[in-house]
Amino acid sequence: MSILRSITLAAAGLMLAAAAAHAAPKVVKKVPPEFPAEAAKKGISTGSVKAKLIIEADGKVSDVEIVEAEPKRVFDRAVKAALMEWKFEPGEKASHEVKLVFKNED
């Protein structure tokens, strides 16, 4: 094994250890988003949204940014409103990504 390869493996091991040390924030209150009436009127029954949350040290969500949405802009408002109501265990200020999937059974 070359010295360069062993350094790369050691660096990868350190990155994995660092990632494990920062576990995902623990949710203590989830609020499900409402299925938008506008989507139902348009015949849209499914979708998904990936969002990035900024979680303050007190566990409250201070910002929600839509990262991906399919279909675009259909569920964004409902997701932002719901995620702003989520609460996490207090800790360090952090960002966290979640993916919400919508399926209208009506």
Side-chain angles (χ1 to χ4, degrees):
M1 180 189 281
S2 72
I3 187 74
L4 182 59
R5 183 164 178 219
S6 64
I7 291 171
T8 303
L9 292 173
L14 289 174
M15 285 190 288
L16 289 174
H22 294 285
K26 186 173 180 188
V27 180
V28 294
K29 177 186 172 191
K30 281 187 181 181
V31 175
E34 290 189 22
F35 196 94
E38 191 65 28
K41 285 180 193 171
K42 292 180 178 178
I44 299 168
S45 60
T46 61
S48 66
V49 176
K50 184 190 282 187
K52 180 179 177 182
L53 314 176
I54 302 299
I55 304 162
E56 298 299 324
D58 64 1
K60 292 180 181 174
V61 176
S62 63
D63 190 38
V64 176
E65 174 189 342
I66 304 301
V67 178
E68 288 176 15
E70 188 57 43
K72 293 193 181 309
R73 293 182 291 283
V74 173
F75 301 105
D76 296 16
R77 193 175 304 148
V79 166
K80 284 184 177 185
L83 292 178
M84 288 298 292
E85 298 296 318
W86 283 30
K87 301 279 186 279
F88 292 81
E89 282 187 351
E92 293 181 18
K93 183 174 178 174
S95 65
H96 181 62
E97 284 192 0
V98 296
K99 182 175 183 179
L100 301 179
V101 177
F102 288 81
K103 187 167 186 166
N104 190 2
E105 300 293 334
D106 293 343

